[in-house]
Amino acid sequence: MIQVEEATRKLMAKARPLGAEEVPVLKALGRVLREDITSPFPIPPFSKSAMDGYAVRSVDVVAACEESPVELRVLEDVPAGKVGRHRVTKGTAARIMTGAPIPSGADAIVMVEYTERTSEGVRIMQEAPKGEHVAPVGEDVRKGQRVLRAGDMIRAAEMGMIASTGRSKVKVGIKPKVRVLSTGSEVLMPGKELKPGHIYDSNGYSLTGLAAARGAETKFLGIAPDRKGALERKIRSARDFDVLILSGGVSVGDYDFVQDILLEMGVTRLFYKVSMKPGKPIFAGLQGKRFVLGLPGNPVSCMVTFELFVRPLLDVLLGKKEVGPRRGSAYLVEGGKLKPGRRKFLRGRLHETDGRLYVRLSTGQKSGILRSMVEADVLVDVPDKVDRLEVGSMVSILYLE
Ligand code: AMP
Ligand code: MG
């Protein structure tokens, strides 16, 4: 039995980013960027007005106020999308709208609220220091500035940022093909009638969800019974994949054939059994360059082992910069006794009080209590030797998605 870190190392040592593809920026949400994004021009590309009002020379409106307004002659209207034709010179102004380029000669904007149109021009009733309500060229991004890095996750803000550099397409990591397969003669497809001694499949669903949420292209292959022939046929039906995830049948029961069959099918073992709770019986192997993982059947164990091993693997395949779940720390709301021996990943929920993060452990910590995962937003990572958790002590946490 090996430790979590060693198992992770063995798996990661074999993982390389898959190729990249170009997709429309509008389709890039949740994908991993595979190129640096630099802007070939400053953003905004020109100095622009941040307000509707009048473009003026700040020296012309010094000390302007309601009691002693300054009268200026209006040269033209500059709406957004147009470039003014006249230079603002002493005693003149241009009507300007938000987003329109600052006309040459002008260096400040007076908001329309502090002006009054007259038959001859405009009455300015507030002074405007140089630069007032002006968004200068390059205020957001300098020319040539790198705004995003390869390996960044593309969220909505990144989509907008990429688009504002003029790009409509972007290079992203190819989605790993993940195939999910459940095993167990007692496991039944939801939608069918429940029979005595059977349970509905949950792993196939939670694992497909976890993989899809990481950015994989997923397919659920269904359920294989605990019979060698049927199991092998089901595994073979996976064909085209980067990562095959099985759940169940990987322990030491009389009908746990998963590891045997995988080895017989030519899968080479990277590791089997990791010193952790939940999740001890876990198999990781390689078929050529493709990964095969046999996760434990208990619904919590299989989700936790996904987070610890499959998630970082998918991150690497996608070319992500940040690999695996984000770590942090929080204070324990309540304590308790633990059986020492194996590293534990307890389910917990975070809350914040007075700027401090606290974690409350889920009530059911047995590996069959899927409800604990529904309630949880973090895993509490407890070292193997710890036999009691003290109230108020600081613990290490792993964020679930
Ligand atoms: P196993 O790892 O096959 O020994 O299964 C451990 C426990 O998890 C057993 O109680 C199984 O019934 C249960 N289990 C296995 N596969 C699934 C599944 N796909 N959905 C829900 N429970 C499962
Ligand atoms: Mg089983």
Side-chain angles (χ1 to χ4, degrees), residues 183-187 226 247-250 255-256 297:
T183 75
S185 295
E186 79 284 26
V187 182
D226 296 315
S247 70
V250 77
Y255 300 95
D256 289 337

Side-chain angles (χ1 to χ4, degrees), residues 6 18 23 42 45 50 52 80 94 132 144 171 248 263 278 290 374 379 390 395:
E6 193 186 344
L18 302 176
V23 297
D52 295 319
E132 182 87 329
K171 223 165 107 182
L263 295 175
R290 314 188 304 178
V374 174
L379 296 175
E390 303 292 344
V395 288

Side-chain angles (χ1 to χ4, degrees), residues 118-138:
T118 62
S119 50
E120 302 85 63
V122 64
R123 196 169 291 138
I124 305 289
M125 294 177 295
Q126 195 179 58
E127 62 177 356
K130 191 167 154 54
E132 182 87 329
H133 302 311
V134 173
V137 55

Side-chain angles (χ1 to χ4, degrees), residues 232-274:
E232 181 171 344
R233 270 195 302 282
K234 203 65 170 170
I235 293 170
R236 288 201 189 282
S237 79
R239 260 173 303 228
D240 184 25
F241 64 86
D242 297 299
V243 181
L244 173 62
I245 311 172
L246 296 93
S247 70
V250 77
S251 195
V252 291
D254 290 345
Y255 300 95
D256 289 337
F257 299 131
V258 166
Q259 172 162 230
D260 293 350
I261 285 177
L262 290 174
L263 295 175
E264 279 168 30
M265 290 174 73
V267 173
T268 53
R269 184 167 59 203
L270 290 170
F271 61 81
Y272 174 59
K273 282 195 180 170
V274 178

Side-chain angles (χ1 to χ4, degrees), residues 182-183 186-187 199-204 247-251 256 295-299:
S182 303
T183 75
E186 79 284 26
V187 182
I199 52 162
Y200 285 122
D201 185 359
S202 66
N203 297 348
S247 70
V250 77
S251 195
D256 289 337
L295 307 185
N298 266 310

Side-chain angles (χ1 to χ4, degrees), residues 8-23:
T8 308
R9 256 197 312 280
K10 288 192 168 180
L11 192 59
M12 291 306 137
K14 302 291 178 190
R16 298 282 175 279
L18 302 176
E21 62 180 340
E22 212 169 41
V23 297

